[in-house]
Amino acid sequence: MVDDEQLQRLLEVSRQRNVVLQVLPFERAFANALEGPMVLLEGPDHERCAFMEGGLASEFSADPGVVSRVTERLSMIRTRALDPDETARLIERMVGQRE
């Protein structure tokens, strides 16, 4: 369960210039969004890597095809997620409901 301190911290972090916070509500989720956590990394020389976790295995790869698939998955999730302002309002409402 998420507590109010965690929600407030998310709001604080989301106000930083280099952070974009978006929530994907369950009713907007789709199969690829539920495959598990993923991380896209870009190094100082702009080399890109992807890390994905699944139910049975985890994978870290610099293969351009894998990185491309993870980038596409993230893009699809972002298009279905609430925009940053909607996300902040949702989190603020969640905090307000718990008080």
Side-chain angles (χ1 to χ4, degrees):
M1 167 116 7
V2 177
D3 67 23
D4 287 348
E5 285 183 38
Q6 291 170 317
L7 293 171
Q8 291 289 357
R9 181 67 180 138
L10 283 173
L11 288 171
E12 287 173 26
V13 171
S14 72
R15 292 183 189 108
Q16 296 178 17
R17 289 182 315 140
N18 64 333
V19 175
V20 175
L21 178 64
Q22 291 181 265
V23 169
L24 178 65
F26 286 114
E27 63 270 10
R28 293 187 181 187
F30 54 100
N32 285 349
L34 303 174
E35 289 179 1
M38 63 185 159
V39 177
L40 287 169
L41 305 165
E42 186 171 328
D45 294 328
H46 305 289
E47 69 276 3
R48 301 182 85 192
C49 300
F51 175 73
M52 297 132 319
E53 285 186 65
L56 301 174
S58 297
E59 180 181 3
F60 181 83
S61 178
D63 178 272
V66 172
V67 172
S68 178
R69 285 192 302 280
V70 173
T71 301
E72 181 179 316
R73 181 175 158 218
L74 177 60
S75 295
M76 291 300 299
I77 291 170
R78 290 182 70 192
T79 64
R80 304 280 300 263
L82 300 176
D83 72 35
D85 291 335
E86 292 171 314
T87 294
R89 286 191 297 271
L90 172 67
I91 293 172
E92 288 164 355
R93 281 194 312 272
M94 289 173 67
V95 171
Q97 290 174 355
R98 299 150 83 65
E99 293 177 347

